Amino acid sequence: MPRGSKDKYTAKQKRKAEHIEDSYKARGVPEDEAEARAWATVNKQSGGGDKFGGSGQKTSAANKEAARKSSARRAAATRESTPRPGQRLEAMNKTELMELARKRDIAGRSRMRKEELLQALRKASA
């Protein structure tokens, strides 16, 4: 089977990838990038093609379930604008810092500059 072939994927996996791809396109992601991300998501959730001979048959049900839950958790965090684990405060813009300060209920945040927000957030998390 040539690399990139989708012969080992079930119809359900193909539909799932198509819906994910459409979602990315609606958000303005280029078509080729949207397709790549969609198939990467399907592979992450199912371990590969589920038809006979596909690598998805070797992936345990528990691992597939864990991957689905992980993917759902990350998607929900993205919708809530929660910073990803390990994302540095310095990499955030002032609006993101302000939102984080609002969630942590830091007093005086509306009058703070970016550097002051960084210091207050560091102090609050320490």
Side-chain angles (χ1 to χ4, degrees):
M1 183 172 67
R3 185 176 176 143
S5 172
K6 306 300 182 212
D7 292 343
K8 298 296 181 182
Y9 290 89
T10 62
K12 182 177 179 179
Q13 288 176 307
K14 291 175 183 178
R15 279 194 313 275
K16 183 185 280 192
E18 188 177 332
H19 288 295
I20 294 168
E21 182 179 350
D22 291 343
S23 173
Y24 278 123
K25 286 180 191 174
R27 288 187 242 155
V29 176
E31 191 167 333
D32 56 339
E33 177 71 15
E35 181 182 10
R37 287 184 187 182
W39 282 108
T41 303
V42 170
N43 286 334
K44 170 75 176 175
Q45 292 178 349
S46 63
D50 281 338
K51 284 186 179 175
F52 182 75
S55 59
Q57 286 194 319
K58 298 174 191 165
T59 306
S60 72
N63 285 345
K64 288 181 183 182
E65 183 181 2
R68 278 194 305 274
K69 285 183 178 180
S70 170
S71 179
R73 248 185 263 113
R74 282 193 316 269
T78 300
R79 285 191 298 273
E80 294 170 7
S81 300
T82 305
R84 291 188 175 201
Q87 183 180 4
R88 295 177 41 212
L89 292 174
E90 293 83 12
M92 295 182 186
N93 61 34
K94 185 178 178 186
T95 307
E96 293 168 330
L97 291 170
M98 187 65 75
E99 184 66 30
L100 191 56
R102 186 176 297 116
K103 286 180 182 177
R104 295 187 183 171
D105 199 29
I106 294 176
R109 64 185 174 266
S110 63
R111 294 183 302 276
M112 292 183 185
R113 295 188 309 269
K114 182 176 178 178
E115 285 301 317
E116 293 169 325
L117 281 169
L118 285 168
Q119 290 173 357
L121 287 165
R122 284 191 195 110
K123 186 177 178 182
S125 63

